[in-house]
Amino acid sequence: MRVTRIGGPTALVEWEDWRILTDPTFDPPGRTYFFALGTSSRKTTGPAISLEEIGPLDVVLLSHHHHADNLDDAGRAGLSAARTVLTTVAGAKALTSDGAHPDARGLAAGDAVTLTAEGKRDLVVTATPCRHGAALTRPIVGSVVGFALSLGGAARPGLWVTGDTVMYGGLRRAATGLRPEVALVHIGAVKFPLTGPLSYTMDADDAVELIELAQPGVAIPIHVEGWSHFSQQEDAAAAVFDAAPGAVRERVRWAPLGVPVDLP
């Protein structure tokens, strides 16, 4: 498997012959985007690789469609490079109704879909639970999903993308014993001045707990730079991982932006 971290939540995964892109964000930096309840964030860095350089894709894994730090304008326009988009149920409805993609499929936690392509092993994608904030915030922040992927009916996922989520009971249960070969772990500790100490994604301490539960072969932190509402960015997160127990520390691997990383 080869993983190229592009920026924010966006990564290109090349796995056998499958080409997979997560949460496309390709707008240039400098713009301020508005979210729910008058919150906002400024994009501080652009993508390390352009959509044109990436080329055709088999599937986009879109954890949610309604926040620009997971799907911005250029990312939305670039969905056409993929044969299929997998996202939330609400996201699939929105993307098909506005013509963004003709094959956007909606998944709720626990749902699975099998993708097929000539000359490739079947790719099974199972949605995993996410909660994008404190309890009872879903009507405000909307639904989110993660994705566990396996090839050819393998019992152990080859890839797990956590999606934007805080640590909570549903995630702990899904992660325990999952043992993916590679996990892309969304962190960043998203916060807004308007909502004070409330977090909308995990911080590195949460990720340490998650890695202990899931026991991935390799954990790659993403969603940790490039936006002003990420309250814990890469250097601070790296310090937490460096101080983590050895069983966690040895699993964490930082992928430099724009540099393909080959994984066993």
Side-chain angles (χ1 to χ4, degrees), residues 135-214:
L136 306 178
T137 60
R138 181 173 174 178
I140 299 171
V141 300
S143 57
V144 182
V145 291
F147 305 94
L149 287 69
S150 59
L151 281 176
R156 178 184 180 187
L159 175 68
W160 181 33
V161 184
T162 66
D164 283 11
T165 184
V166 295
M167 182 62 81
Y168 74 109
L171 181 61
R172 290 186 177 94
R173 289 188 292 272
T176 300
L178 187 63
R179 299 183 61 246
E181 295 174 18
V182 177
L184 302 185
V185 183
H186 290 220
I187 51 176
V190 165
K191 294 182 180 180
F192 299 97
L194 184 66
T195 52
L198 291 180
S199 290
Y200 297 90
T201 61
M202 292 185 290
D203 63 14
D205 287 301
D206 297 322
V208 167
E209 179 186 354
L210 190 72
I211 292 166
E212 289 175 327
L213 293 172

Side-chain angles (χ1 to χ4, degrees), residues 14-263:
E14 298 167 278
W15 187 19
E16 294 196 3
D17 294 320
W18 290 93
R19 290 172 53 79
I20 302 159
L21 187 71
T22 68
D23 286 350
T25 54
F26 289 91
D27 283 356
R31 179 176 164 188
T32 296
Y33 299 79
F34 294 92
F35 302 106
L37 297 177
T39 57
S40 65
S41 180
R42 183 171 57 86
K43 189 170 187 179
T44 58
T45 59
I49 298 174
S50 70
L51 270 167
E52 291 72 24
E53 292 175 274
I54 291 171
L57 299 161
D58 291 295
V59 60
V60 168
L61 304 178
L62 177 59
S63 66
H64 57 302
H65 74 292
H66 51 280
H67 292 155
D69 60 324
N70 295 83
L71 182 68
D72 58 19
D73 291 344
R76 179 181 287 264
L79 292 176
S80 60
R83 291 192 295 114
T84 301
V85 176
L86 300 181
T87 187
T88 63
V89 173
K93 290 179 180 177
L95 294 176
T96 54
S97 65
D98 69 9
H101 201 283
D103 187 22
R105 308 185 195 182
L107 302 174
D111 291 346
V113 63
T114 300
L115 302 180
T116 60
E118 185 176 355
K120 303 178 186 182
R121 286 201 287 166
D122 290 357
L123 181 66
V124 180
V125 183
T126 302
T128 59
C130 293
R131 195 181 77 197
H132 201 2
L136 306 178
T137 60
R138 181 173 174 178
I140 299 171
V141 300
S143 57
V144 182
V145 291
F147 305 94
L149 287 69
S150 59
L151 281 176
R156 178 184 180 187
L159 175 68
W160 181 33
V161 184
T162 66
D164 283 11
T165 184
V166 295
M167 182 62 81
Y168 74 109
L171 181 61
R172 290 186 177 94
R173 289 188 292 272
T176 300
L178 187 63
R179 299 183 61 246
E181 295 174 18
V182 177
L184 302 185
V185 183
H186 290 220
I187 51 176
V190 165
K191 294 182 180 180
F192 299 97
L194 184 66
T195 52
L198 291 180
S199 290
Y200 297 90
T201 61
M202 292 185 290
D203 63 14
D205 287 301
D206 297 322
V208 167
E209 179 186 354
L210 190 72
I211 292 166
E212 289 175 327
L213 293 172
Q215 299 180 10
V218 177
I220 297 178
I222 63 173
H223 194 271
V224 69
E225 58 15 88
W227 291 82
S228 63
H229 65 320
F230 294 177
S231 71
Q232 184 188 60
Q233 302 223 359
E234 188 166 335
D235 288 347
V240 174
F241 290 126
D242 287 345
V248 171
R249 188 172 62 250
E250 293 165 3
R251 299 176 193 270
V252 175
R253 180 167 178 180
W254 288 96
L257 287 165
V259 179
V261 173
D262 290 316
L263 302 170

